[in-house]
Amino acid sequence: DRKKLHTAPVGQVFRLRPFHVLVATGGGYAGYRKYEDYKLEQLEKRGIEVPVKLASEWEVALYKSVPTRLLSRAWGRLNQVELPTWLRKPVYSLYIWTFGVNMKEAAVEDLHHYRNLSEFFRRKLKPQARPVCCLHSVISPSDGKILNFGQVKNCEVEQVKGVTYSLESFLGPRTSTEELHFSQAPPGNSFQQQLVTKEGNELYHCVIYLAPGDYHCFHSPTDWRVSHRRHFPGSLMSVNPGVARWIKELFCHNERVVLTGDWKHGFFSLTAVGATNVGSIRIYFDQDLHTNSPRYSKGSYNDFSFISNNNKEGIPMRKGEHLGEFNLGSTIVLIFEAPKDFKFHLKAGQKIRFGEALGSL
């Protein structure tokens, strides 16, 4: 009376499918990121400084040899694939748990509403979720973590404590097409001095790191006029704080979009820095900008003047106005001129949200 037991061939049982590989890889990466973030948080809570250990030239060259631009374009296409309705909640829930996303702030909390990962990354917030501070002249343009801030000294800017990069390499050399008020500076001055247009002013900087779980849109940090855009194709290396401590001039290696102009105190710039899987940096008023495009090669840059090609006034931006978006977490760098009594209301390493005060006079 024994019943026959029918078994499938071993090859069919252990056959790997793309979906299984994707889930296993994503789950492993999520666990790794969670563990790394936990270690950094514990060190910060205990007040222990992570020692600076810079990568050697061959390590940087090896990292840059990885086809991160190609991989980021592939990731971008994958993010645009529409997910089945039944799969959306499990996939997005894993992402929410991994990166600590607060969906209660989202304009649409229902996970089934987002057809693909790209829509979920670029989710909008409820209008009351980010009130814009009216009492301070400069606000945070995005959610994120403050990596560094302060005065620019000796033409060097700190990306994290103890690790710097060249101001001129980051913004690029001056050209005749730029409207940066260079003509007001005496010839022969350093690049930093040429940016300062008013006597008695100083140059300041602030670096904000957007984690993958943060709100991915960025806004105008003050009332200013955008006169020029410079796009550096560059690499797409990771910009998380651990890598920023490891690779000197990381922000100068990576793809970035530099917006320059002026505010009531002189020179003002906002730079959106790309990173691995952040192949798309979008500026809402700049339809000609195409980032991570195969037609652009590393080591070059292209300029666009909003004064000569658009209008004589440039692009006026109001504090808190929508400016652009990333397709994943990345970095915003502010470099601006202000009087000597300008004060930041920040602490290095603190979390900040769009609309909160950065500093004021």
Side-chain angles (χ1 to χ4, degrees):
D1 296 329
R2 294 179 180 175
K3 294 182 179 181
K4 293 183 178 180
L5 180 65
H6 296 277
T7 59
V10 174
Q12 292 182 12
V13 174
F14 292 99
R15 183 183 298 165
L16 291 176
R17 297 178 180 178
F19 174 74
H20 299 151
V21 174
L22 181 63
V23 171
T25 304
Y29 175 71
Y32 168 76
R33 285 300 302 266
K34 202 73 176 177
Y35 176 66
E36 287 296 314
D37 291 344
Y38 173 77
K39 287 198 301 182
L40 285 174
E41 286 174 8
Q42 293 304 306
L43 289 173
E44 288 176 358
K45 285 179 181 178
R46 292 161 59 186
I48 300 175
E49 259 188 47
V50 180
V52 175
K53 184 181 179 182
L54 295 178
S56 62
E57 289 185 10
W58 72 266
E59 287 175 315
V60 175
L62 182 62
Y63 191 179
K64 291 177 72 174
S65 69
V66 177
T68 51
R69 284 160 61 91
L70 179 62
L71 293 171
S72 295
R73 285 196 289 270
W75 176 254
R77 291 191 180 94
L78 179 63
N79 286 350
Q80 294 173 5
V81 174
E82 185 170 343
L83 296 175
T85 305
W86 62 270
L87 188 58
R88 293 175 189 176
K89 189 171 182 179
V91 170
Y92 300 148
S93 295
L94 174 62
Y95 188 92
I96 289 168
W97 172 80
T98 303
F99 299 110
V101 179
N102 184 3
M103 285 302 294
K104 291 182 179 179
E105 297 177 332
V108 180
E109 296 184 39
D110 182 12
L111 297 180
H112 296 102
H113 169 80
Y114 303 99
R115 295 173 298 175
N116 52 49
L117 282 167
S118 182
E119 284 189 3
F120 181 72
F121 293 150
R122 295 180 286 108
R123 63 192 176 278
K124 304 301 180 184
L125 299 181
K126 294 173 182 175
Q128 68 274 19
R130 296 289 187 276
V132 175
C133 178
C134 299
L135 300 177
H136 299 274
S137 54
V138 184
I139 62 169
S140 176
S142 66
D143 288 6
K145 179 180 180 180
I146 301 296
L147 293 189
N148 217 299
F149 63 92
Q151 284 189 18
V152 176
K153 297 179 180 179
N154 302 319
C155 294
E156 293 282 324
V157 186
E158 281 194 316
Q159 58 190 29
V160 293
K161 188 174 181 180
V163 182
T164 63
Y165 55 93
S166 164
L167 178 65
E168 186 170 5
S169 296
F170 182 69
L171 295 178
R174 51 181 290 191
T175 68
S176 58
T177 61
E178 289 182 280
E179 300 292 339
L180 294 179
H181 310 287
F182 281 116
S183 58
Q184 299 182 23
N189 282 11
S190 69
F191 186 83
Q192 177 179 335
Q193 292 171 324
Q194 291 169 2
L195 292 179
V196 178
T197 64
K198 297 181 179 181
E199 188 176 352
N201 282 1
E202 297 287 349
L203 205 61
Y204 298 87
H205 73 97
C206 183
V207 182
I208 306 170
Y209 167 69
L210 289 74
D214 287 328
Y215 168 55
H216 294 120
C217 295
F218 50 94
H219 301 245
S220 176
T222 192
D223 296 334
W224 65 307
R225 179 187 65 159
V226 183
S227 58
H228 185 268
R229 178 259 291 161
R230 174 169 283 167
H231 171 218
F232 293 85
S235 301
L236 285 172
M237 296 184 283
S238 172
V239 293
N240 74 60
V243 178
R245 292 188 189 98
W246 184 51
I247 297 181
K248 183 178 173 62
E249 297 203 334
L250 172 64
F251 299 155
C252 297
H253 292 299
N254 272 17
E255 179 157 16
R256 59 198 181 278
V257 177
V258 182
L259 300 178
T260 54
D262 60 274
W263 70 320
K264 60 183 179 181
H265 299 296
F267 173 79
F268 199 97
S269 73
L270 180 148
T271 302
V273 183
T276 307
N277 295 335
V278 190
S280 174
I281 302 171
R282 183 183 174 192
I283 305 298
Y284 294 139
F285 59 74
D286 190 353
Q287 301 302 315
D288 294 322
L289 175 65
H290 300 285
T291 58
N292 195 17
S293 172
R295 64 178 177 173
Y296 296 128
S297 59
K298 296 180 185 179
S300 64
Y301 61 84
N302 54 86
D303 292 328
F304 188 91
S305 173
F306 296 109
I307 291 180
S308 60
N309 293 289
N310 193 312
N311 55 65
K312 293 182 180 180
E313 300 298 325
I315 307 294
M317 297 297 300
R318 304 293 296 175
K319 183 167 66 174
E321 186 178 350
H322 279 84
L323 181 55
E325 64 186 32
F326 294 109
N327 256 346
L328 202 64
S330 194
T331 298
I332 295 286
V333 179
L334 302 179
I335 298 174
F336 58 93
E337 174 186 357
K340 292 181 178 180
D341 56 351
F342 182 87
K343 301 293 182 184
F344 283 102
H345 303 286
L346 301 171
K347 292 181 179 178
Q350 79 172 72
K351 291 289 290 181
I352 198 166
R353 305 200 303 177
F354 156 61
E356 294 179 345
L358 283 186
S360 62
L361 296 171

